[in-house]
Amino acid sequence: MQPRDIAAYLFLAIAWGFSFLVVLKVVHAFGWVGAVTFRAFVAGGTLALLAALVGRSLRLRPLLKPLLVVGATTVAGQLVGLSYATPRIGTAMSAILVATIPLFSMIIGRLWGLEKITVRGLFGLLLGVLGIVMLVGFPAQPVTETFIHGCIASLFGCLCAAFGSNYASLHLRGQDPWTVTGGAFLAGGVLTLPLLVLVPVPAMPQASDWLYLLLSGSVMSATTYVLYFGLVARIGATRTISVEFVVTLVAVLIGALFLDEALSLLQAAGGVVILIGCMLVLGLLPTRSRRLPS
């Protein structure tokens, strides 16, 4: 990985780790459908505005079909799953399930012949899953029907994210990340907009709610996904999605620092295991080279 790729990877981990603090507030104010729809329009509108200011054109029409697919999966499907699930199962369990995205991506990538996963990379992914279990633990709340529905929604969102990323890697490789991100979010917003009839905004949002929405749309969606799709094009979908392991680590650390959530020695050890697993997936650990006989 190049230094710019590592920097983008770390920024995604930090921004999306902090997003767990924002999702609950936005969902509470706008409902789970409104949170997705308005966030998608804010993200797409932000990129369209910035592109106009810097004289950059977003050529959406030639890429309409693949953008609709990515918008339906990576944007609408993933965010609907996250927004619906998080208030029902909590951020800790959401973090566990989000970490399944790299595994879904690895399976899809292998089936489509997009990536070859080495034994070293597979071991890294398994280490990441082990670290997630150590880090977050098991849910404290009782396993109710609401909890099960939330888990199903979260897994659906994770599968959508993995599918969309591999689809983008296959059909949108080499395309402008601004166009891919802006078009995908606008498509996601259009696709989820009719659902507001079934799940309307619960009440008039306050000024602070709009600020949280702008933060989630402009920073945690528009900016991050430009970097994300750029990474998918350069290093592949599975290696890029492995950032979700670090996102979980960041989310738990934020909970311990800002929400007074306890962080045990086992969780700290899990964080170390996650980092080692990601370094294996990304090829950042040195390999032992064989010396040729003289």
Coordinates of all heavy atoms in Angstrom, one line a residue, residues 64-117:
L64 N -25.2 5.3 -15.5 CA -26.5 5.3 -14.7 C -26.8 3.9 -14.1 O -27.1 3.8 -13.0 CB -27.6 5.7 -15.6 CG -29.0 5.8 -15.0 CD1 -28.9 6.8 -13.8 CD2 -30.0 6.2 -16.0
K65 N -26.6 2.8 -14.9 CA -27.0 1.5 -14.5 C -26.1 1.1 -13.3 O -26.6 0.6 -12.2 CB -26.9 0.5 -15.6 CG -27.3 -0.9 -15.2 CD -27.2 -1.9 -16.3 CE -27.5 -3.3 -15.8 NZ -27.4 -4.3 -17.0
P66 N -24.8 1.1 -13.4 CA -23.9 0.6 -12.3 C -24.1 1.5 -11.1 O -24.0 1.0 -10.0 CB -22.5 0.7 -12.8 CG -22.6 1.5 -14.0 CD -23.9 1.4 -14.6
L67 N -24.3 2.8 -11.3 CA -24.6 3.7 -10.1 C -25.8 3.4 -9.4 O -25.9 3.5 -8.2 CB -24.6 5.2 -10.6 CG -23.2 5.8 -11.0 CD1 -23.4 7.2 -11.5 CD2 -22.2 5.7 -9.9
L68 N -26.9 3.0 -10.2 CA -28.1 2.5 -9.5 C -27.9 1.3 -8.7 O -28.4 1.2 -7.6 CB -29.2 2.3 -10.6 CG -29.9 3.5 -11.2 CD1 -30.8 3.2 -12.3 CD2 -30.7 4.3 -10.1
V69 N -27.1 0.4 -9.2 CA -26.8 -0.9 -8.4 C -26.1 -0.6 -7.2 O -26.4 -1.0 -6.1 CB -26.1 -1.9 -9.3 CG1 -25.7 -3.1 -8.5 CG2 -26.9 -2.3 -10.5
V70 N -25.0 0.3 -7.3 CA -24.2 0.6 -6.1 C -25.0 1.4 -5.1 O -24.9 1.3 -3.9 CB -22.9 1.4 -6.5 CG1 -22.1 1.8 -5.3 CG2 -22.0 0.5 -7.4
G71 N -25.9 2.3 -5.7 CA -26.7 3.1 -4.8 C -27.7 2.3 -4.0 O -28.0 2.6 -2.9
A72 N -28.2 1.2 -4.7 CA -29.2 0.4 -4.1 C -28.6 -0.5 -3.0 O -29.3 -0.9 -2.0 CB -29.9 -0.5 -5.1
T73 N -27.3 -0.8 -3.1 CA -26.7 -1.8 -2.2 C -25.8 -1.1 -1.2 O -26.1 -1.1 0.0 CB -25.9 -2.8 -3.1 OG1 -24.9 -2.1 -4.0 CG2 -26.8 -3.7 -3.9
T74 N -24.7 -0.5 -1.7 CA -23.7 0.1 -0.8 C -24.3 1.3 0.0 O -23.9 1.5 1.1 CB -22.4 0.6 -1.6 OG1 -21.9 -0.6 -2.2 CG2 -21.4 1.2 -0.6
V75 N -25.2 2.0 -0.6 CA -25.8 3.2 0.0 C -27.1 2.8 0.7 O -27.2 2.7 1.9 CB -26.0 4.3 -0.9 CG1 -26.7 5.5 -0.3 CG2 -24.6 4.8 -1.5
A76 N -28.1 2.5 -0.1 CA -29.5 2.3 0.5 C -29.5 1.1 1.4 O -29.9 1.1 2.5 CB -30.5 2.2 -0.6
G77 N -29.1 -0.1 0.8 CA -29.1 -1.3 1.6 C -28.3 -1.3 2.9 O -28.8 -1.7 3.9
Q78 N -27.1 -0.8 2.7 CA -26.2 -0.8 3.9 C -26.7 0.2 5.0 O -26.8 -0.2 6.2 CB -24.8 -0.4 3.5 CG -23.8 -0.4 4.7 CD -22.4 0.0 4.3 OE1 -21.5 -0.2 5.1 NE2 -22.3 0.7 3.2
L79 N -27.1 1.4 4.6 CA -27.5 2.4 5.5 C -28.9 2.1 6.1 O -29.1 2.4 7.3 CB -27.5 3.8 4.9 CG -26.1 4.3 4.5 CD1 -26.3 5.7 3.9 CD2 -25.2 4.3 5.6
V80 N -29.8 1.5 5.4 CA -31.0 1.0 5.9 C -30.8 0.0 7.0 O -31.4 0.0 8.1 CB -32.0 0.5 4.8 CG1 -33.1 -0.3 5.4 CG2 -32.6 1.6 4.0
G81 N -30.0 -1.0 6.7 CA -29.7 -2.0 7.7 C -29.1 -1.4 9.0 O -29.5 -1.8 10.1
L82 N -28.1 -0.5 8.8 CA -27.5 0.1 10.0 C -28.4 1.0 10.7 O -28.5 0.9 12.0 CB -26.3 1.0 9.5 CG -25.5 1.7 10.6 CD1 -24.8 0.8 11.5 CD2 -24.5 2.7 9.9
S83 N -29.2 1.8 10.1 CA -30.1 2.7 10.7 C -31.2 2.0 11.4 O -31.7 2.4 12.5 CB -30.7 3.7 9.7 OG -29.6 4.5 9.2
Y84 N -31.7 0.9 10.8 CA -32.8 0.2 11.4 C -32.3 -0.6 12.6 O -33.0 -0.8 13.7 CB -33.5 -0.8 10.4 CG -34.6 -1.6 11.0 CD1 -35.9 -1.1 10.9 CD2 -34.4 -2.9 11.5 CE1 -37.0 -1.8 11.4 CE2 -35.5 -3.6 12.0 CZ -36.7 -3.1 11.9 OH -37.8 -3.8 12.4
A85 N -31.1 -1.2 12.5 CA -30.6 -2.1 13.5 C -30.0 -1.5 14.7 O -30.3 -2.0 15.9 CB -29.6 -3.0 12.9
T86 N -29.3 -0.4 14.6 CA -28.5 0.1 15.7 C -29.4 0.5 16.9 O -29.0 0.1 18.1 CB -27.7 1.4 15.3 OG1 -26.8 1.0 14.2 CG2 -26.9 1.9 16.4
P87 N -30.5 1.2 16.8 CA -31.4 1.4 18.0 C -31.9 0.2 18.6 O -32.3 0.2 19.8 CB -32.5 2.3 17.4 CG -32.0 2.9 16.1 CD -31.1 1.8 15.6
R88 N -32.0 -0.9 17.8 CA -32.7 -2.1 18.3 C -31.7 -3.1 19.0 O -32.1 -3.9 19.8 CB -33.4 -2.8 17.2 CG -34.6 -2.0 16.8 CD -35.2 -2.5 15.4 NE -36.5 -1.8 15.1 CZ -36.6 -0.6 14.7 NH1 -35.5 0.1 14.4 NH2 -37.7 0.0 14.4
I89 N -30.4 -3.1 18.5 CA -29.5 -4.1 19.0 C -28.3 -3.4 19.7 O -27.5 -4.1 20.3 CB -29.0 -5.0 17.9 CG1 -28.1 -4.3 16.9 CG2 -30.1 -5.7 17.3 CD1 -27.5 -5.1 15.8
G90 N -28.2 -2.1 19.6 CA -27.1 -1.4 20.3 C -25.9 -1.3 19.4 O -25.7 -2.0 18.5
T91 N -25.1 -0.3 19.7 CA -23.9 -0.1 18.9 C -22.9 -1.2 19.0 O -22.1 -1.5 18.1 CB -23.2 1.3 19.3 OG1 -22.9 1.2 20.7 CG2 -24.1 2.4 19.0
A92 N -22.8 -1.9 20.2 CA -21.8 -2.9 20.4 C -22.1 -4.1 19.4 O -21.2 -4.6 18.7 CB -21.8 -3.4 21.8
M93 N -23.3 -4.6 19.4 CA -23.7 -5.7 18.6 C -23.7 -5.3 17.1 O -23.3 -6.1 16.2 CB -25.1 -6.2 18.9 CG -25.5 -7.5 18.3 SD -24.4 -8.8 18.9 CE -24.9 -10.2 17.8
S94 N -24.0 -4.0 16.8 CA -23.9 -3.5 15.5 C -22.4 -3.6 15.0 O -22.2 -4.0 13.8 CB -24.4 -2.1 15.4 OG -25.8 -2.0 15.7
A95 N -21.5 -3.3 15.9 CA -20.1 -3.3 15.5 C -19.7 -4.8 15.2 O -18.9 -5.0 14.3 CB -19.3 -2.8 16.7
I96 N -20.2 -5.7 16.0 CA -19.9 -7.1 15.7 C -20.3 -7.5 14.3 O -19.5 -8.1 13.5 CB -20.5 -8.1 16.7 CG1 -19.9 -7.9 18.1 CG2 -20.4 -9.5 16.3 CD1 -20.6 -8.8 19.1
L97 N -21.5 -7.2 14.0 CA -22.1 -7.6 12.7 C -21.5 -6.8 11.5 O -21.3 -7.4 10.4 CB -23.6 -7.4 12.7 CG -24.3 -8.3 13.7 CD1 -25.8 -8.0 13.7 CD2 -24.0 -9.8 13.5
V98 N -21.1 -5.6 11.7 CA -20.4 -4.8 10.7 C -19.1 -5.5 10.3 O -18.7 -5.4 9.1 CB -20.2 -3.3 11.1 CG1 -19.2 -2.7 10.3 CG2 -21.5 -2.6 11.0
A99 N -18.5 -6.1 11.2 CA -17.2 -6.8 11.0 C -17.3 -8.0 10.1 O -16.3 -8.6 9.7 CB -16.5 -7.1 12.3
T100 N -18.6 -8.4 9.8 CA -18.7 -9.5 8.8 C -18.6 -9.1 7.4 O -18.5 -10.0 6.5 CB -20.1 -10.2 9.1 OG1 -21.2 -9.3 8.7 CG2 -20.3 -10.7 10.5
I101 N -18.6 -7.8 7.1 CA -18.6 -7.3 5.7 C -17.3 -7.8 5.0 O -17.5 -8.3 3.9 CB -18.6 -5.8 5.7 CG1 -20.0 -5.3 6.2 CG2 -18.4 -5.3 4.3 CD1 -20.1 -3.8 6.3
P102 N -16.1 -7.8 5.6 CA -15.0 -8.3 4.9 C -15.1 -9.8 4.5 O -14.6 -10.2 3.4 CB -13.8 -8.0 5.8 CG -14.2 -6.9 6.7 CD -15.7 -7.1 6.9
L103 N -15.7 -10.5 5.4 CA -15.9 -12.0 5.1 C -16.9 -12.2 3.9 O -16.6 -13.0 3.0 CB -16.4 -12.7 6.3 CG -15.4 -12.7 7.5 CD1 -16.0 -13.5 8.7 CD2 -14.1 -13.3 7.1
F104 N -18.0 -11.4 3.9 CA -18.9 -11.5 2.8 C -18.2 -11.0 1.5 O -18.4 -11.7 0.5 CB -20.1 -10.6 3.0 CG -21.1 -11.1 4.0 CD1 -21.7 -10.3 5.0 CD2 -21.5 -12.4 4.0 CE1 -22.6 -10.7 5.9 CE2 -22.4 -12.9 4.9 CZ -23.0 -12.1 5.9
S105 N -17.4 -10.0 1.6 CA -16.7 -9.5 0.4 C -15.7 -10.5 -0.1 O -15.6 -10.7 -1.3 CB -16.0 -8.2 0.8 OG -15.2 -7.7 -0.3
M106 N -15.0 -11.2 0.8 CA -14.0 -12.2 0.4 C -14.7 -13.3 -0.4 O -14.3 -13.7 -1.4 CB -13.3 -12.8 1.6 CG -12.3 -13.8 1.3 SD -11.6 -14.7 2.7 CE -13.1 -15.6 3.2
I107 N -15.9 -13.8 0.1 CA -16.6 -14.8 -0.6 C -17.1 -14.4 -1.9 O -16.9 -15.1 -2.9 CB -17.8 -15.3 0.3 CG1 -17.3 -15.9 1.6 CG2 -18.7 -16.3 -0.4 CD1 -18.4 -16.2 2.6
I108 N -17.7 -13.2 -2.0 CA -18.2 -12.7 -3.3 C -17.1 -12.5 -4.3 O -17.1 -12.8 -5.4 CB -19.0 -11.4 -3.1 CG1 -20.3 -11.6 -2.3 CG2 -19.4 -10.7 -4.4 CD1 -21.0 -10.4 -1.8
G109 N -16.0 -11.9 -3.8 CA -14.8 -11.6 -4.6 C -14.2 -12.9 -5.2 O -13.8 -13.0 -6.4
R110 N -14.2 -14.0 -4.4 CA -13.7 -15.3 -4.8 C -14.7 -15.8 -5.9 O -14.2 -16.4 -6.9 CB -13.6 -16.2 -3.7 CG -12.5 -15.9 -2.7 CD -11.1 -16.4 -3.1 NE -11.2 -17.9 -3.2 CZ -10.1 -18.6 -3.2 NH1 -8.9 -18.1 -3.0 NH2 -10.2 -19.9 -3.3
L111 N -16.0 -15.8 -5.6 CA -16.9 -16.3 -6.6 C -16.9 -15.6 -7.9 O -17.1 -16.2 -9.0 CB -18.3 -16.2 -6.0 CG -18.6 -17.1 -4.8 CD1 -20.0 -16.9 -4.2 CD2 -18.5 -18.6 -5.1
W112 N -16.7 -14.3 -7.9 CA -16.6 -13.5 -9.1 C -15.3 -13.5 -9.8 O -15.1 -13.0 -10.9 CB -17.1 -12.1 -8.9 CG -18.5 -11.9 -8.5 CD1 -19.5 -12.9 -8.4 CD2 -19.2 -10.7 -8.3 NE1 -20.7 -12.4 -8.1 CE2 -20.6 -11.1 -8.0 CE3 -18.9 -9.4 -8.2 CZ2 -21.6 -10.1 -7.7 CZ3 -19.8 -8.4 -7.9 CH2 -21.2 -8.8 -7.7
G113 N -14.3 -14.1 -9.1 CA -12.9 -14.1 -9.7 C -12.2 -12.8 -9.7 O -11.3 -12.6 -10.5
L114 N -12.6 -11.9 -8.8 CA -12.0 -10.6 -8.7 C -10.7 -10.5 -7.9 O -9.8 -9.8 -8.3 CB -13.0 -9.6 -8.0 CG -14.3 -9.4 -8.8 CD1 -15.2 -8.4 -8.0 CD2 -14.1 -8.8 -10.2
E115 N -10.6 -11.3 -6.9 CA -9.5 -11.3 -6.1 C -9.0 -12.7 -5.7 O -9.9 -13.6 -5.5 CB -9.7 -10.5 -4.8 CG -10.1 -9.0 -5.0 CD -10.3 -8.3 -3.7 OE1 -9.5 -8.5 -2.8 OE2 -11.3 -7.5 -3.7
K116 N -7.7 -12.9 -5.5 CA -7.2 -14.1 -4.9 C -6.8 -13.9 -3.5 O -6.0 -13.0 -3.2 CB -6.0 -14.6 -5.7 CG -6.3 -15.0 -7.2 CD -5.1 -15.4 -7.9 CE -5.4 -15.8 -9.4 NZ -4.2 -16.3 -10.1
I117 N -7.5 -14.6 -2.6 CA -7.2 -14.4 -1.2 C -6.1 -15.4 -0.8 O -6.3 -16.6 -0.9 CB -8.5 -14.6 -0.3 CG1 -9.6 -13.7 -0.8 CG2 -8.2 -14.4 1.1 CD1 -9.2 -12.3 -0.7

